[in-house]
Amino acid sequence: MKQFGQVCAALRRKNRAHSALLAGCCFFSVLLITAYGIMMRSPTILAVLPEGGDSRKQVMMIFVLAVIGCAVFTVYASGLFFRHRSRQTGILLALGASRRQLRRQLYRELAGLTAVSCAAGALLAAPLAWGIWQLFRLFVVDSAQMALRFEPRAWGIALGFSAFVAVLLFAAGGRSVRRANIIETVQEVHRSEPIRAVPRWYGPLGLCLLAGGGLLGYLAPSVFVNGLHWYPPGGISGLFYLPALAGLYMILLHTVVNGWRTRHAYRDLIATSLMKFQGRQTVRSMLVMTLLIGGGLFAAFYTPMIGTGSMMSYDARPVDCAYHFRADQNGPGQSEVEQLAAEYGVALTSWAEAPMARLAVDGSYQLEEEGPVGTTWRSVYAQQARSVLVLSESGYRALTGEAVELAPGQTAGVLDATGSGQDRFEADATLFTNPLTGQQLAVTLAEPLRNDLLLGCYVLDDGDWAALSEGLTGEWQEQMVFFNVENEQDSYPFARALFDRIVDGSGPEVAVLDGWDPIVRQRYLAQEGVYFLDPEQSEEANFPRMDYSQRDSSDFRLYWQYMPRFRVLDKADFVRTTAVFLMLFVFIAVLCLSAVIVIACTRCMTIAQSSRQVYSDLRRLGAPGRYLYHSARSQVRRVFLTPTLAGFGLIFGFYGLILYFNDGRLTSGELAGLAVCLGLAAGVGALLWAVYRLTLGRVCAALAIRRR
């Protein structure tokens, strides 16, 4: 006579496929979340993602999507496992086993399965992350800054998610044993999860909720901050996206239950009916896939959007080279630049330079106050709110060749070539102040000027400029230089040498971030005693510190206030400069899309297993192979096609909102970036189509369907 343990072992061997499926799902979920967490918490990544910055928010948003997706995926896998396990439970109950014995045996099995799968996922996550990163370094770009470092505390994410998986499995297992009934349990494996009748208006209403909820969720933070002067606690703004999530769920329900075909619906009668009987599981899987596709594409679009826009902006610059330096620094003059150019066989075709004065202007700044429900702010006017660089009208004419005539008491701000302040500059100053002598000049605003390289500057009448700049010391004066070269595409060695010369001639007093402002600094020192952008304080405030020895790092190239703008240098070093950003988002996209493929394939094979008896009966009734193939293809296609289209539409709509509401328009660079993203989406679609074809072949093989 066999012992109880031997019977359990025999039943486990018979159902090992379902145990392997659950273990694989747990392993993959922990692997994905841990690899993502390792990258997200890596010092290499955090060094270029400032605290509170948009890039870090995007990374966190996609991480939340991945966690939700993997959590739902694991819940689905555990439910499927316990449904198939119910037959074994019923057999053991019928043989006289007690619930205590069943619970102890199940917990022992779950403990081994969870420990092995979660530990394997956590341990293999680091080699996976390191391997993918090294491939990027090998085939894309490599530099000292790209050395990947791991933070041991990142494995706390793996521990937390593994604990969630373990608690989930043990709770579900205990519930399945506690609620077990011999007759119902034996039949549980044959039960489906049908969805009740879904009205056809679910589809159109879901589309409306998706669009309206997305718009509401995106605009809510702006309403809170700009309208209510309130920075709400994290998560409150996200609640406004719930209608969009409900709309997406309704769209998927409508697709699974009704489909979108109104004519000849009978052609998909079998496929639609089978999808209904597995409806809840299918909708969950499709929802997770949609979120992961959206998150993966959001990350994948980062590279073409920033790359296309940057390259177009480089080409649109009015001159090949531009740089500026403080008057108290050892900046290179015309003769030195010409001599350096001659050493590298480069000829200068034009040269223009003009002095600039750094003056204080009036305006408003935000004074924040901590409250019980978050941070509020109020606007405070100050005659010296911030500093700006100011050119005389003759200096602007010398640099740009554009004639500008300003009357005394008039000023013109400089926008970019498209007439935008790029959401960081408003040409609205009405009072200029010499920060050293206190002399003031009230001005009226003239029509703004346009120049990409002088964005954020002001222009004054020559007499006004001379009067206001009198008495300024070298630290409040700067020199701007524009020049062109022959055969600009061959001038990289010269541009690199001049860049090094500019950095070597700069002292520690100008090793500051581009947002560093001496007027704002004075206000912070008076009010708080420290200025968070001073080099000594920047690292504590999670801002990078400018280090001349790290002049090729992303931090230095992107954020140094006196970074020269040489077109050939910027274009050639673009990938190197933004490599950490690019690789991080590509890495995220790879992980998300990999999860989509695994979930889709698993869901389709589960549908095939559940439908095997139906297709066998149809074959006996004389259904031709073509009809069976069409029916199976219809089910597999819905699993792949609907989340793909929904994810694509979701991300393009969200990107459109971001780009449009940045400045109320879509620029040519943004449109070009969207066109590149469309091509990238087509590539992702082609990849998913290839996986779909392979999966369809496996499903047909499992169902013994031969297309004739």
Side-chain angles (χ1 to χ4, degrees), residues 585-639:
F585 283 100
V586 171
F587 180 88
I588 292 171
V590 169
L591 290 184
C592 289
L593 294 177
S594 299
V596 168
I597 291 172
V598 171
I599 294 172
C601 293
T602 303
R603 178 68 255 179
C604 290
M605 294 308 298
T606 303
I607 290 176
Q609 293 176 9
S610 302
S611 306
R612 182 179 288 112
Q613 186 62 49
V614 174
Y615 280 97
S616 177
D617 293 341
L618 288 172
R619 191 179 298 108
R620 292 190 182 96
L621 291 172
R626 178 179 294 276
Y627 179 81
L628 297 178
Y629 175 82
H630 173 81
S631 176
R633 184 183 64 179
S634 179
Q635 294 186 76
V636 176
R637 184 177 62 227
R638 291 189 196 186
V639 172

Side-chain angles (χ1 to χ4, degrees), residues 87-146:
R87 186 174 182 84
Q88 176 180 332
T89 303
I91 292 173
L92 294 175
L93 284 173
L95 292 175
S98 66
R99 296 180 190 274
R100 183 177 181 182
Q101 285 179 301
L102 293 177
R103 188 181 299 109
R104 185 169 58 249
Q105 185 66 29
L106 178 61
Y107 283 171
R108 186 181 299 115
E109 181 180 350
L110 290 177
L113 185 148
T114 305
V116 172
S117 59
C118 293
L123 292 175
L124 293 178
L128 173 66
W130 185 86
I132 296 176
W133 192 265
Q134 296 308 311
L135 288 175
F136 291 157
R137 295 184 66 181
L138 178 63
F139 293 106
V140 181
V141 65
D142 192 12
S143 66
Q145 190 189 17
M146 295 305 299

